[in-house]
Amino acid sequence: MFGIGGGELIFIIFIALMLFGSDKIPVIARSLGKGMAQLKNATNEIKSEINKSAEANGIDSSFKDLTNVFNSEVESVKGSLDTNLSNPLDKIKEEVTTSIDDLTGPIKRQM
């Protein structure tokens, strides 16, 4: 958790108890929780406002269309690379196999 070990966490809790006392810690934790909830609500409201304004201006659909076009182009390039460069070792394997067959062909005929 944040690069803090168990012993370090216990030490921090001990220092907090010494500074604030056991009666103030729950109050501080409650106020931090409320602050975090308010921050989360504010960010959600900002996100919804941005989405509403993007939809109102037609930006949302154009970004989706652009993303779809981009993704399809990436997939087509991947597909062409996969077929053209399936495995470079396959070609080497095929050449070695044909060379071995060419060399062992006369030996097999003699047997």
Side-chain angles (χ1 to χ4, degrees), residues 1-6 8-9 12 36:
M1 184 171 102
F2 305 114
I4 298 175
E8 295 166 342
L9 188 61
I12 291 170
M36 295 283 283

Side-chain angles (χ1 to χ4, degrees), residues 30-90:
R30 226 176 279 122
S31 63
L32 283 175
K34 287 180 182 178
M36 295 283 283
Q38 288 177 350
L39 181 66
K40 185 177 179 181
N41 289 337
T43 55
N44 287 338
E45 287 178 17
I46 291 170
K47 284 180 187 178
S48 67
E49 287 296 321
I50 290 172
N51 287 336
K52 285 178 186 177
S53 64
E55 288 174 1
N57 293 327
I59 296 172
D60 189 39
S61 62
S62 64
F63 277 134
K64 286 181 183 177
D65 294 340
L66 184 62
T67 304
N68 290 337
V69 169
F70 181 75
N71 286 338
S72 65
E73 288 296 321
V74 167
E75 290 301 321
S76 68
V77 169
K78 278 184 185 178
S80 66
L81 286 176
D82 286 343
T83 57
N84 292 337
L85 303 172
S86 59
N87 191 355
L89 296 177
D90 286 343

Side-chain angles (χ1 to χ4, degrees), residues 87-105:
N87 191 355
L89 296 177
D90 286 343
K91 186 174 182 179
I92 295 170
K93 178 183 172 185
E94 183 180 323
E95 290 176 2
V96 169
T97 305
T98 54
S99 298
I100 290 173
D101 288 343
D102 290 344
L103 292 174
T104 58

